[in-house]
Amino acid sequence: MDKKINKYRADFPILEQKVNGEPLVYLDNAATTQKPKQVVQALVDYYYHDNANVHRGVHTLAQRATTAYEATRKKVQKLINAPSEREVVYTKGTTEALNWIVKGYAEKNLAPGDEIVLSYQEHHSNIVPWQEICAKTGAKLVYLELNKRGQVDLADAQKKITAKTKFVSLAQVSNVLGALAPIKELAELAHAKGALMIVDGAQSVPHIPVDVQELGIDFLAFSGHKLLGPTGTGILWGRLELLEAMDPLDLGGEMIEFVGLEHATFKEVPWKFEGGTQNIAGVIALGKALDQLQEIGLAEIEAYETELMRYVLPKLQAVPGFELYGSPDPNDHKGIISFNLAGLHPHDTATALDMEGVAIRAGHHCAQPLMKYLGIAASARASFYFYNTKAEADKLVEALKKTREFFK
């Protein structure tokens, strides 16, 4: 993989610039990944050559746009090994997908006393919608503990997933700790109690092979912009019978089948969820991003990112004052390392690194309950992708050493 990195990086001109006089080292991939030339060109090509609305025109441009738009759906089906392309619904991102699941399906299947099982590592997008639905329905949230490796604790899950549980909704990979949750085992626990398994794949689908049939899950949500695609694109996948029982939240436009004066009927899944005019250019360009990921291979991306973690984490842990959150084992970090430098606010750390050309994120990472669980207000986070190099990892280490010396 090392020899291929330069070839891959050639597709990302943004990585060749200097920031504050230093070569850019982009390590904020958990927030959003950079976009290859092929994806940007797909956006340009659509607007230059094929700009038309989808599913509502018989002219050539409309036909071309519709064909390209639906082709992405098939690529997503292949990416996650979904049984049917009809189970793939376009959204604006993970947040919208999770909100639709909660408000379009879960709300009408919850009653007072029912329980929804989450974990302390969840992103706000997988907490706040559930809090609102609990307030409406009288259902209750139950949180799973994390083990010493920062992973969802299976033993705790065996106690807390009960006959009262209706939904188990968890991130497959933590956006703070980089820890992988044992989704397959948790799905089996959920199903044994008659509950459904919902997975936030925002930080897993771009980095590891995800097979919805092998995992045995019921819903999956993820974002396009975290896997080389444009912002404003995302996917909601669900088992067909669940999507058919789910209510659409955006009403109007091409999701309509028939409208009378007193009632209306909707199209079949997945188009009943895609009201209004969709992000057509974004969806088509997302297809190009998926082409690139499939060409490299998710298994190869996972292996390379693990190699990067094994390379850089021991070096980081040798930096004086480096405080790691999560497992000390590099194998437990799916491209994400969260940390602080002792006595230094993470915003100061991130600003100092930016002066060295190193872009990381600092803050609560939309995971305030996890920050409280860890006993901190915020952390710095370096998140890698397949186009990052070991030389860039070394630059992070050296920049942290300089930062430590400066603030000493």
Side-chain angles (χ1 to χ4, degrees):
M1 184 75 169
D2 275 342
K3 294 178 182 174
K4 299 177 184 173
I5 300 301
N6 287 338
K7 173 178 174 290
Y8 297 147
R9 285 178 69 90
D11 291 330
F12 297 85
I14 196 171
L15 298 176
E16 300 308 314
Q17 66 180 293
K18 288 191 174 182
V19 171
N20 295 318
E22 297 287 339
L24 170 65
V25 176
Y26 184 78
L27 298 176
D28 194 17
N29 294 288
T32 195
T33 59
Q34 298 302 339
K35 319 307 174 195
K37 289 188 285 190
Q38 296 89 331
V39 168
V40 177
Q41 191 60 50
L43 293 168
V44 173
D45 286 345
Y46 168 74
Y47 285 117
Y48 275 10
H49 305 295
D50 299 330
N51 182 39
N53 219 322
V54 295
H55 295 305
R56 61 188 78 178
V58 296
H59 58 81
T60 299
L61 295 191
Q63 294 291 332
R64 288 208 302 252
T66 301
T67 298
Y69 179 83
E70 289 302 325
T72 296
R73 211 183 300 273
K74 293 179 182 174
K75 293 174 184 178
V76 175
Q77 177 198 2
K78 181 180 178 185
L79 176 75
I80 60 174
N81 192 30
S84 167
E85 64 192 77
R86 287 188 56 212
E87 296 177 335
V88 175
V89 180
Y90 297 134
T91 69
K92 288 190 296 187
T94 306
T95 298
E96 184 172 73
L98 289 170
N99 271 270
W100 283 7
I101 295 166
V102 173
K103 296 172 183 174
Y105 185 87
E107 181 175 0
K108 62 183 182 180
N109 288 286
L110 287 170
D114 288 343
E115 294 182 348
I116 298 112
V117 173
L118 310 177
S119 83
Y120 288 106
Q121 71 168 2
E122 299 312 311
H123 189 282
H124 294 165
S125 298
N126 195 31
I127 297 176
V128 179
W130 291 111
Q131 290 173 339
E132 289 207 348
I133 293 308
C134 283
K136 285 183 181 178
T137 63
K140 176 184 164 188
L141 293 179
V142 175
Y143 286 88
L144 299 179
E145 301 284 338
L146 306 180
N147 62 26
K148 291 180 181 176
R149 297 169 67 187
Q151 299 170 332
V152 173
D153 191 328
L154 261 180
D156 191 49
Q158 286 170 341
K159 296 174 191 168
K160 290 179 178 172
I161 296 175
T162 70
K164 292 182 181 178
T165 306
K166 299 303 176 190
F167 298 95
V168 178
S169 188
L170 299 169
Q172 189 171 14
V173 169
S174 164
N175 73 316
V176 177
L177 304 177
L180 180 70
I183 293 298
K184 184 174 182 178
E185 292 83 353
L186 289 160
E188 289 172 355
L189 280 175
H191 292 157
K193 299 296 182 181
L196 295 183
M197 184 76 210
I198 301 167
V199 175
D200 169 356
Q203 301 296 341
S204 61
V205 175
H207 300 276
I208 63 175
V210 174
D211 183 328
V212 295
Q213 296 188 72
E214 197 271 335
L215 290 173
I217 61 178
D218 301 294
F219 287 106
L220 173 70
F222 59 97
S223 296
H225 72 96
K226 294 181 192 289
L227 47 69
L228 310 181
T231 56
T233 61
I235 300 296
L236 185 172
W237 169 83
R239 289 196 289 112
L240 191 58
E241 62 269 32
L242 299 178
L243 292 176
E244 287 174 339
M246 185 168 142
D247 295 330
L249 297 183
D250 291 341
L251 307 179
E254 198 57 23
M255 57 82 66
I256 295 294
E257 180 184 59
F258 168 81
V259 175
L261 291 179
E262 303 299 334
H263 75 281
T265 58
F266 307 139
K267 284 188 173 174
E268 63 180 0
V269 172
W271 300 283
K272 78 171 183 177
F273 296 106
E274 297 171 7
T277 294
Q278 294 293 300
N279 181 0
I280 301 166
V283 167
I284 292 170
L286 175 61
K288 292 294 182 185
L290 298 182
D291 289 343
Q292 189 150 356
L293 287 182
Q294 293 285 34
E295 183 182 337
I296 299 169
L298 269 301
E300 188 157 0
I301 289 172
E302 181 183 16
Y304 177 66
E305 289 181 4
T306 299
E307 183 182 330
L308 275 178
M309 294 298 98
R310 290 173 181 161
Y311 179 80
V312 73
L313 191 55
K315 294 187 175 190
L316 289 172
Q317 289 175 295
V319 175
F322 183 84
E323 297 174 344
L324 175 70
Y325 302 109
S327 172
D329 185 343
N331 299 307
D332 290 336
H333 293 264
K334 295 298 177 188
I336 295 173
I337 298 172
S338 285
F339 61 94
N340 275 318
L341 286 180
L344 197 59
H345 193 285
H347 283 173
D348 292 333
T349 303
T351 301
L353 291 185
D354 184 55
M355 296 308 295
E356 297 292 325
V358 181
I360 64 164
R361 182 168 174 180
H364 54 62
H365 313 296
C366 300
Q368 287 176 305
L370 178 58
M371 294 293 113
K372 186 176 180 182
Y373 187 82
L374 295 171
I376 56 177
S379 77
R381 180 185 70 186
S383 51
F384 294 73
Y385 208 23
F386 65 84
Y387 43 63
N388 290 123
T389 66
K390 290 177 180 174
E392 289 181 320
D394 286 336
K395 182 66 185 290
L396 169 66
V397 174
E398 292 308 310
L400 277 175
K401 287 179 180 174
K402 281 188 182 180
T403 302
R404 177 68 178 168
E405 284 301 311
F406 181 82
F407 285 98
K408 205 161 145 184

